Amino acid sequence: MTALDEASLVGALLWLPIEDVRAARELFDVDDLDDPRHRVIVALVDHCVANGVTPDPAAVFAAARSTGQVEGHKLGQLGGILQARYGEVAHPRWFEVYANGVVEASVRRKLRATGERLIQVADAADVVSVAAVVGSEAQALATCAARICGQVSGD
């Protein structure tokens, strides 16, 4: 539920064999990650796995260079983040715990954003606009509720 879960999840992906990375990736979406740097790393991990390469830090760094997903002048920063995440993870096999925390934090961010949009429309919009926004936000809330229920039930 914290940034630590996200950093630990990314770090765990750098330690795990391909099959476990695939299992971990089924538990969360890239857009569940709050830190855009982590999104890039996970996209590179996905690239490695798709090509049958275990996504350790060296392989992920090589993927960044070969795919061009990271601009050349930012490769040093990427290397530092990879090193930090790889070295900081408490236990890679706890990826399910970390993923659950990431999903929970993501759902909470989405719920807060929905609440803020509803407050804005309630304060300033005409009634017709309110109805349209409430309808679309209800759909977003239903998606959040489904993810919460799936996480609680273990799906």
Side-chain angles (χ1 to χ4, degrees), residues 4-16 38 41-42 55-57 81-92 95 98:
L4 183 58
D5 286 322
E6 186 171 311
S8 296
L9 177 60
V10 172
L13 295 175
L14 300 172
W15 279 94
L16 297 172
H38 291 158
I41 291 170
V42 170
D56 60 41
I81 295 167
L82 289 170
Q83 179 183 9
R85 296 306 170 263
Y86 188 75
E88 294 169 352
V89 65
H91 197 293
F95 66 84
Y98 305 140

Side-chain angles (χ1 to χ4, degrees), residues 12 16-17 20 91-98:
L16 297 172
D20 289 341
H91 197 293
R93 295 285 176 191
W94 293 352
F95 66 84
E96 290 181 20
V97 173
Y98 305 140

Side-chain angles (χ1 to χ4, degrees), residues 17-150:
I18 290 175
E19 288 308 312
D20 289 341
V21 172
R22 287 187 179 119
R25 287 294 291 117
E26 289 180 10
L27 301 175
F28 72 99
D29 298 323
V30 172
D31 67 347
D32 288 328
L33 301 170
D34 192 36
D35 188 330
R37 300 170 306 171
H38 291 158
R39 292 180 189 158
V40 170
I41 291 170
V42 170
L44 292 167
V45 165
D46 290 346
H47 174 81
C48 288
V49 170
N51 287 290
V53 176
T54 301
D56 60 41
V60 171
F61 190 81
R65 290 181 65 142
S66 67
T67 64
Q69 288 189 42
V70 177
E71 297 174 19
H73 68 282
K74 293 185 179 181
L75 286 171
Q77 181 184 14
L78 174 67
I81 295 167
L82 289 170
Q83 179 183 9
R85 296 306 170 263
Y86 188 75
E88 294 169 352
V89 65
H91 197 293
R93 295 285 176 191
W94 293 352
F95 66 84
E96 290 181 20
V97 173
Y98 305 140
N100 284 337
V102 165
V103 170
E104 181 179 340
S106 174
V107 168
R108 288 179 186 276
R109 281 191 307 275
K110 290 172 183 166
L111 289 172
R112 278 192 300 278
T114 296
E116 290 169 6
R117 284 189 297 272
L118 288 172
I119 288 169
Q120 289 171 353
V121 77
D123 288 346
D126 60 89
V127 176
V128 174
S129 297
V130 169
V133 171
V134 167
S136 66
E137 295 304 330
Q139 194 171 25
L141 289 172
T143 301
C144 287
R147 289 197 82 191
I148 292 167
C149 292

